[in-house]
Amino acid sequence: MKFKVLTLLALVSFTFLSCGGEKKEKPSYAPTKKEVVKKATTEKVDINAPTLDNKGIGPIKSLTLAAIDDQLVAKGKAVYKTNCSACHKFKKRYIGPALKGITQRRSPEWIMNMILNPEEMLKKDPVGIALIKEYNAPMANQQMKESDARAILEYFRTKN
């Protein structure tokens, strides 16, 4: 009998303690990471429109381009042929988008960040999100070095 009373008392106490706690909401001026990603995924982005002010998400924050470097172009062409040509063509849509005119549509930083950090770009960057919706094939992370991505960019500069 004493056990039943103690059990009932514990159950009632637990019920009262578990009720009534207030949920604390985050201030409206600080959106959560989930809200930021959700907003990016609902934005309507034209994948063919130039977005030269968008630098993308990744290690490349700023890049100044000089005259075309022929040695870098040759390296970029070889790296492109080995790592990119299975999914990308220049003049037509393939598994991924056509690359003709890419340097006129995207900033150099965006191009390099897409090569170096495709997973995050496809999840958080508005253009990356629109591309994954359109092509339904994520860009593979080739684990490239920054120097290889830069060489590919240089090669792209000659193809426009």
Side-chain angles (χ1 to χ4, degrees):
M1 176 79 162
K2 197 175 190 180
F3 178 72
K4 287 183 182 179
V5 171
L6 287 174
T7 304
L8 183 59
L9 184 59
L11 184 61
V12 170
S13 297
F14 177 75
T15 303
F16 282 117
L17 291 174
S18 66
C19 294
E22 287 186 34
K23 285 187 177 180
K24 293 184 180 179
E25 294 184 26
K26 291 193 176 200
S28 61
Y29 60 88
T32 65
K33 192 174 185 179
K34 190 175 184 180
E35 290 168 335
V36 170
V37 171
K38 183 177 180 184
K39 182 181 179 202
T41 60
T42 59
E43 289 180 15
K44 181 77 171 158
V45 175
D46 178 1
I47 60 174
N48 296 312
T51 56
L52 296 171
D53 58 330
N54 179 356
K55 295 185 184 285
I57 301 164
I60 310 303
K61 305 298 181 203
S62 179
L63 182 64
T64 303
L65 299 175
I68 299 285
D69 178 335
D70 291 332
Q71 287 182 328
L72 205 52
V73 170
K75 178 182 176 185
K77 182 176 183 178
V79 174
Y80 170 84
K81 187 175 181 180
T82 302
N83 295 80
C84 311
S85 63
C87 296
H88 293 281
K89 305 299 176 200
F90 275 95
K91 294 182 180 178
K92 65 179 182 175
R93 175 187 176 128
Y94 198 53
I95 295 168
L99 297 174
K100 180 104 175 122
I102 189 69
T103 59
Q104 296 164 346
R105 293 189 309 274
R106 306 289 177 253
S107 69
E109 297 89 351
W110 190 95
I111 294 168
M112 288 185 64
N113 282 325
M114 182 58 108
I115 294 168
L116 297 169
N117 189 28
E119 294 93 351
E120 195 170 11
M121 288 284 287
L122 295 174
K123 288 179 185 173
K124 296 179 182 176
D125 179 76
V127 176
I129 292 166
L131 286 168
I132 193 71
K133 285 180 181 179
E134 174 71 22
Y135 289 88
N136 201 28
M139 182 160 153
N141 189 336
Q142 301 285 333
Q143 304 297 320
M144 283 199 205
K145 293 184 252 174
E146 193 172 306
S147 60
D148 290 337
R150 178 62 184 89
I152 290 171
L153 173 64
E154 196 74 359
Y155 174 56
F156 287 173
R157 291 176 65 200
T158 67
K159 298 299 283 183
N160 290 316

